[in-house]
PDB file of all heavy atoms in Angstrom:
ATOM      1  N   GLN A 369      -4.386 109.583  -7.797  1.00  0.00           N
ATOM      2  CA  GLN A 369      -4.425 108.131  -7.687  1.00  0.00           C
ATOM      3  C   GLN A 369      -3.452 107.684  -6.615  1.00  0.00           C
ATOM      4  O   GLN A 369      -2.252 107.958  -6.705  1.00  0.00           O
ATOM      5  CB  GLN A 369      -4.071 107.452  -9.020  1.00  0.00           C
ATOM      6  CG  GLN A 369      -4.278 105.947  -9.006  1.00  0.00           C
ATOM      7  CD  GLN A 369      -4.088 105.312 -10.370  1.00  0.00           C
ATOM      8  OE1 GLN A 369      -3.255 105.736 -11.164  1.00  0.00           O
ATOM      9  NE2 GLN A 369      -4.883 104.279 -10.660  1.00  0.00           N
ATOM     10  N   GLY A 372      -4.456 101.643  -3.032  1.00  0.00           N
ATOM     11  CA  GLY A 372      -5.542 101.254  -2.154  1.00  0.00           C
ATOM     12  C   GLY A 372      -6.729 102.196  -2.152  1.00  0.00           C
ATOM     13  O   GLY A 372      -7.747 101.905  -1.515  1.00  0.00           O
ATOM     14  N   ALA A 431     -23.916 112.741 -20.937  1.00  0.00           N
ATOM     15  CA  ALA A 431     -23.467 111.897 -19.842  1.00  0.00           C
ATOM     16  C   ALA A 431     -22.797 110.632 -20.361  1.00  0.00           C
ATOM     17  O   ALA A 431     -23.042 110.196 -21.478  1.00  0.00           O
ATOM     18  CB  ALA A 431     -24.662 111.529 -18.972  1.00  0.00           C
ATOM     19  N   GLY A 432     -21.941 110.065 -19.539  1.00  0.00           N
ATOM     20  CA  GLY A 432     -21.317 108.788 -19.847  1.00  0.00           C
ATOM     21  C   GLY A 432     -20.290 108.843 -20.957  1.00  0.00           C
ATOM     22  O   GLY A 432     -20.017 107.844 -21.618  1.00  0.00           O
ATOM     23  N   THR A 434     -16.635 109.241 -22.927  1.00  0.00           N
ATOM     24  CA  THR A 434     -15.268 108.782 -22.719  1.00  0.00           C
ATOM     25  C   THR A 434     -14.428 109.903 -22.151  1.00  0.00           C
ATOM     26  O   THR A 434     -14.443 111.016 -22.673  1.00  0.00           O
ATOM     27  CB  THR A 434     -14.658 108.327 -24.048  1.00  0.00           C
ATOM     28  OG1 THR A 434     -15.458 107.262 -24.581  1.00  0.00           O
ATOM     29  CG2 THR A 434     -13.233 107.841 -23.846  1.00  0.00           C
ATOM     30  N   ARG A 442       3.819 112.637 -11.288  1.00  0.00           N
ATOM     31  CA  ARG A 442       4.140 112.002  -9.998  1.00  0.00           C
ATOM     32  C   ARG A 442       4.690 113.068  -9.065  1.00  0.00           C
ATOM     33  O   ARG A 442       5.694 113.698  -9.383  1.00  0.00           O
ATOM     34  CB  ARG A 442       5.166 110.893 -10.199  1.00  0.00           C
ATOM     35  CG  ARG A 442       4.617 109.768 -11.015  1.00  0.00           C
ATOM     36  CD  ARG A 442       5.614 108.660 -11.279  1.00  0.00           C
ATOM     37  NE  ARG A 442       4.944 107.598 -12.023  1.00  0.00           N
ATOM     38  CZ  ARG A 442       4.259 106.610 -11.475  1.00  0.00           C
ATOM     39  NH1 ARG A 442       4.188 106.524 -10.164  1.00  0.00           N
ATOM     40  NH2 ARG A 442       3.654 105.705 -12.215  1.00  0.00           N
TER      41      ARG A 442
ATOM     42  N   LYS B 272     -16.794 102.674   1.105  1.00  0.00           N
ATOM     43  CA  LYS B 272     -16.479 103.232  -0.203  1.00  0.00           C
ATOM     44  C   LYS B 272     -17.681 103.079  -1.118  1.00  0.00           C
ATOM     45  O   LYS B 272     -18.449 102.135  -1.026  1.00  0.00           O
ATOM     46  CB  LYS B 272     -15.284 102.482  -0.803  1.00  0.00           C
ATOM     47  CG  LYS B 272     -13.958 102.780  -0.130  1.00  0.00           C
ATOM     48  CD  LYS B 272     -12.841 102.040  -0.857  1.00  0.00           C
ATOM     49  CE  LYS B 272     -11.523 102.220  -0.148  1.00  0.00           C
ATOM     50  NZ  LYS B 272     -10.455 101.425  -0.788  1.00  0.00           N
ATOM     51  N   MET B 304     -18.324 102.035 -16.404  1.00  0.00           N
ATOM     52  CA  MET B 304     -17.207 101.963 -17.340  1.00  0.00           C
ATOM     53  C   MET B 304     -16.112 101.064 -16.806  1.00  0.00           C
ATOM     54  O   MET B 304     -15.973 100.886 -15.588  1.00  0.00           O
ATOM     55  CB  MET B 304     -16.627 103.357 -17.582  1.00  0.00           C
ATOM     56  CG  MET B 304     -17.591 104.294 -18.271  1.00  0.00           C
ATOM     57  SD  MET B 304     -16.832 105.863 -18.632  1.00  0.00           S
ATOM     58  CE  MET B 304     -18.131 106.630 -19.586  1.00  0.00           C
ATOM     59  N   GLN B 308      -5.330 100.232 -17.420  1.00  0.00           N
ATOM     60  CA  GLN B 308      -4.199 101.116 -17.136  1.00  0.00           C
ATOM     61  C   GLN B 308      -2.917 100.303 -17.131  1.00  0.00           C
ATOM     62  O   GLN B 308      -2.715  99.429 -16.280  1.00  0.00           O
ATOM     63  CB  GLN B 308      -4.387 101.823 -15.785  1.00  0.00           C
ATOM     64  CG  GLN B 308      -3.309 102.842 -15.475  1.00  0.00           C
ATOM     65  CD  GLN B 308      -3.570 103.605 -14.184  1.00  0.00           C
ATOM     66  OE1 GLN B 308      -4.285 103.144 -13.307  1.00  0.00           O
ATOM     67  NE2 GLN B 308      -2.982 104.788 -14.074  1.00  0.00           N
ATOM     68  N   ARG B 311       2.535 102.971 -15.242  1.00  0.00           N
ATOM     69  CA  ARG B 311       3.038 104.334 -15.447  1.00  0.00           C
ATOM     70  C   ARG B 311       2.378 105.046 -16.631  1.00  0.00           C
ATOM     71  O   ARG B 311       2.986 105.919 -17.248  1.00  0.00           O
ATOM     72  CB  ARG B 311       4.552 104.331 -15.581  1.00  0.00           C
ATOM     73  CG  ARG B 311       5.238 103.911 -14.287  1.00  0.00           C
ATOM     74  CD  ARG B 311       6.744 104.011 -14.355  1.00  0.00           C
ATOM     75  NE  ARG B 311       7.317 103.759 -13.032  1.00  0.00           N
ATOM     76  CZ  ARG B 311       7.616 104.709 -12.159  1.00  0.00           C
ATOM     77  NH1 ARG B 311       7.419 105.967 -12.455  1.00  0.00           N
ATOM     78  NH2 ARG B 311       8.120 104.399 -10.976  1.00  0.00           N
ATOM     79  N   LEU B 316     -10.192 104.015 -21.755  1.00  0.00           N
ATOM     80  CA  LEU B 316     -11.510 103.407 -21.689  1.00  0.00           C
ATOM     81  C   LEU B 316     -11.564 102.125 -22.508  1.00  0.00           C
ATOM     82  O   LEU B 316     -11.164 102.083 -23.659  1.00  0.00           O
ATOM     83  CB  LEU B 316     -12.569 104.386 -22.210  1.00  0.00           C
ATOM     84  CG  LEU B 316     -14.006 103.869 -22.129  1.00  0.00           C
ATOM     85  CD1 LEU B 316     -14.446 103.775 -20.670  1.00  0.00           C
ATOM     86  CD2 LEU B 316     -14.930 104.794 -22.911  1.00  0.00           C
ATOM     87  N   THR B 364     -24.519 110.907 -12.831  1.00  0.00           N
ATOM     88  CA  THR B 364     -24.870 111.934 -13.811  1.00  0.00           C
ATOM     89  C   THR B 364     -24.033 111.886 -15.072  1.00  0.00           C
ATOM     90  O   THR B 364     -24.371 112.517 -16.061  1.00  0.00           O
ATOM     91  CB  THR B 364     -24.665 113.318 -13.187  1.00  0.00           C
ATOM     92  OG1 THR B 364     -23.275 113.442 -12.860  1.00  0.00           O
ATOM     93  CG2 THR B 364     -25.514 113.487 -11.937  1.00  0.00           C
TER      94      THR B 364
END
Side-chain angles (χ1 to χ4, degrees):
Chain A
Q369 188 173 35
T434 301
R442 295 178 177 274
Chain B
K272 288 183 185 176
M304 295 184 174
Q308 185 176 23
R311 294 185 173 266
L316 183 69
T364 62

